[in-house]
Amino acid sequence: MVPDLDLYVAEGGEVTSPGPGRWRLLIPQGEERVYRLAQLDDYAGRRSRRAFPHRPPLRLSLRARASAPDLRGTWGFGFWNDPFGFSLTVRGSGRRLPTLPDAVWFFHASPPNHLAFRDTHPARGFLAAAFASRPVPTALLLLAAPLAAGLLLPAAARLLRRLARSLIEEDAAIVRIDPTLWHTYELLWLPERASFSVDETTVFETPVSPTGPLGLVLWLDNQYASLPASGRLSFGSLATPEDAYLELADVELGGA
């Protein structure tokens, strides 16, 4: 089944279709501190995460290539719960309150990103990754919101990192390929596990699997977020020295 996708762009981002079943996501050259995004998704217009369209068992397959091996920012494709809510300005998310992350996806993160709560897991590079969070009442998250400014203090950020490890299961592995070449990617999301394949070869399997519902997202942006063991929290938007793009083809969803 070919999914019904909507597009969203920010600050010069473009989503074009160079041919049947193909998309080209592009963000232009530009300075730091300006967030640039090109995205396809099937959830942003939904007011509640309970209305997100996907649960396991589900299979995502597609072909993709990137314009450079280490594009600045992040890009990828898979399923997530868009956890940040009104903390980001992405269309649709402002109607949803923040929550803890659930995701299963292929995810590329350049330096200075550091996107793992456990020191034993890779925190940047081209990853196959899964996050599954315990349910936490939104009211508790809202009560904690006024404390967010304290996270700029390393001791507070280290405490948050330890707390996150108790609430969020995560697992990830580096995918050692050249992403500038066309590859066929397959993500098998099952209730008890997730499996990731590239060119019909399994590259990662994990028992970490979110229950859903989640939304499908395919994106390219210049954003970074870093919460390393040192506790020095940082986030923002990176300069892009040249136009960056992600090409996608033959995106299909099917039963597992």
Side-chain angles (χ1 to χ4, degrees):
M1 177 184 69
V2 179
D4 185 14
L5 298 171
D6 295 319
L7 65 89
Y8 180 67
V9 298
E11 295 296 334
E14 297 179 0
V15 177
T16 57
S17 179
R22 293 184 62 182
W23 289 278
R24 190 171 190 264
L25 281 54
L26 179 143
I27 58 173
Q29 174 185 0
E31 61 186 11
E32 61 183 349
R33 299 188 195 78
V34 177
Y35 180 54
R36 292 177 284 280
L37 169 71
Q39 178 170 303
L40 292 163
D41 66 66
D42 65 0
Y43 62 84
R46 301 173 189 246
R47 289 183 175 273
S48 169
R49 291 186 183 89
R50 292 190 295 273
F52 279 23
H54 305 299
R55 292 182 183 271
L58 192 62
R59 184 189 306 269
L60 169 67
S61 64
L62 56 86
R63 296 190 301 122
R65 69 173 180 179
S67 58
D70 199 18
L71 296 176
R72 304 199 72 196
T74 73
W75 61 266
F77 30 82
F79 305 97
W80 78 329
N81 65 338
D82 188 23
F84 304 109
F86 54 69
S87 64
L88 293 179
T89 58
V90 173
R91 167 214 55 187
S93 63
R95 297 190 293 266
R96 297 187 294 269
L97 297 175
T99 189
L100 297 178
D102 286 323
V104 53
W105 53 16
F106 287 96
F107 186 101
H108 183 276
S110 74
N113 278 289
H114 190 103
L115 299 172
F117 299 111
R118 290 169 173 79
D119 299 335
T120 54
H121 293 160
R124 65 171 68 101
F126 188 35
L127 308 175
F131 293 85
S133 296
R134 295 184 183 181
V136 175
T138 300
L140 291 180
L141 294 176
L142 291 176
L143 287 173
L147 304 177
L151 296 179
L152 297 176
L153 300 174
R158 288 194 295 270
L159 178 61
L160 171 69
R161 209 163 174 265
R162 289 196 295 272
L163 178 62
R165 289 197 291 269
S166 69
L167 296 174
I168 304 169
E169 288 187 273
E170 64 172 307
D171 202 2
I174 295 176
V175 180
R176 301 186 185 280
I177 61 168
D178 180 354
T180 67
L181 302 177
W182 280 106
H183 294 284
T184 298
Y185 299 88
E186 184 175 271
L187 167 56
L188 182 61
W189 175 28
L190 299 173
E192 73 283 359
R193 65 182 177 92
S195 177
F196 302 78
S197 299
V198 179
D199 298 330
E200 301 184 348
T201 298
T202 300
V203 295
F204 183 53
E205 288 189 323
T206 175
V208 176
S209 179
T211 59
L214 303 180
L216 173 63
V217 62
L218 311 98
W219 84 97
L220 167 67
D221 70 14
N222 67 323
Q223 189 167 240
Y224 76 92
S226 178
L227 183 56
S230 67
R232 296 191 178 277
L233 174 68
S234 62
F235 53 89
S237 300
L238 299 169
T240 45
E242 58 187 10
D243 291 356
Y245 65 81
L246 173 64
E247 290 187 292
L248 304 163
D250 305 328
V251 180
E252 291 189 2
L253 292 176

